[in-house]
Amino acid sequence: MKLTIIGTGYVGLVTGTCFAEVGHQVICVDKDPEKIKLLLEGGMPIYEPGLDELVRKNVNAGRLQFTTSTGEGVERSDIIFIAVPTPPQPDGSVDLSFIETVSREIASSMTAYKIIVDKSTVPVKTGEKVAETINRYCKAKVDFDVVSNPEFLREGFAVGDFMKPDRVVVGVASQRPVQAMKDVYTPYNAPIVVTDINSAELIKHAANSFLALKISYINAVSVLCELSGANVQEVAAGMGMDTRIGRQFLDASLGFGGSCFPKDLSAFIKISEQLGYEFGLLKEVQKINATQMDRFVKKISETMWVLKGKKLGILGLAFKQNTDDVRMSPAIELCQRLQQEGVILRVHDPRAMDKAKAVLTDVTYVSDMNEVAEGCDALVIATEWPEFKQLDLERARKNLTHPILFDGRNLFNVDEMEKLGFLYKSIGRGQGA
Ligand code: UDX
């Protein structure tokens, strides 16, 4: 099938590439000429495991193309996917100006029936606005259908998530685009859930908010574990074996971050408010997330006593493993809060150091994780990169002026760390945690 994707961010580029991978003929559009130039030259604007090889393979096979022209994209395909950013505004609501601009551009290029599919995360009722806008700006009288097809991929696992989705949600206002949408997704062998447009849009915000709630829930339980001497990992394992609950997203941490959860939670709260419902439960989710960071900072400051002038090594800057993304990263927030207290930082991340440099200054960037601890008063783990489990702990202990390790991601075993001679403080594992 001939498919156009507008926007080559995380969602757009992965979507376009994975559509090409199953044999569709794809053209990706981005208004940023630098990005398109980079992609045409075989470069990658983002780090996402496995994506660069897949882009190269499909470009070479002639199934994946790039352009800066929306007009060309609209002309070439019958189905146009919108995957542009929907950034947050200061009051928590969503800035839909990119969606509006793209809708107008599509409208002004349309000369025959098109299916316009929204993949960006948008507030409920956006589909109605997109349809209205297209009607208004369409030069000729052309038929079209608007479809909502939210994307659930995770950064760091995006290709796998796209190729093997748990489900594909397709929100429609009429039956006309349903078969074409099913044809697009048939190669992925996933259940296709067909709903009305408003429900499809709500599914995305409701799902992400629920996952954020799950993390805040286990983080709240981790506080009880610290107060009572229980172990949050054992509690999570026991809870998670109930198939109604499930083990995923029950890892206590210094809080969730990234470009989705914090933004989607605020947006969902705002949307609810605009519809006349106060979603107090989700406000509590935000509150617990903020408290979790406060508690971790407090744990560090109480242990170190005076923070001013202390030198700390930080392992992890990305908002989670497997990505170079530092947007709304708890690790970056932690660094900045420690800096405000006068702490001197040596930092390392396997992938995110380049991006971190734009937002985190006056720190020493260290390229080898095993050298971070040198001359530091304590070491802190802020991101759950699996490679940190391979850290040379013996060397770290010798390099630190005092063998203190704060683990915001519970990567190590408490007893083993103590045996190695560390004062080891993690999340929700016993009273001394
Ligand atoms: C999320 C959703 O999972 C995805 O479906 C949606 O399309 C986009 O938003 P993403 O932001 O890429 O994906 O990251 P995710 O893996 O969900 O993690 C989000 C944050 O929660 C990270 O900071 C992560 O470290 C944290 N997290 C996750 C926890 O603290 N504990 C957990 O158990 C799981």
Side-chain angles (χ1 to χ4, degrees), residues 403-414:
I404 306 173
L405 202 151
F406 298 97
D407 185 353
R409 299 291 187 164
N410 287 350
L411 292 190
F412 296 108
N413 178 287
V414 179

Side-chain angles (χ1 to χ4, degrees), residues 152-153 155 204 249 251 253 256-257 260 319-320 384 409:
F152 300 96
L153 58 80
E155 287 179 26
K204 175 67 201 238
F249 282 70
D251 289 320
S253 63
F256 57 76
C260 292
F319 81 98
K320 63 167 191 180
E384 70 275 33
R409 299 291 187 164

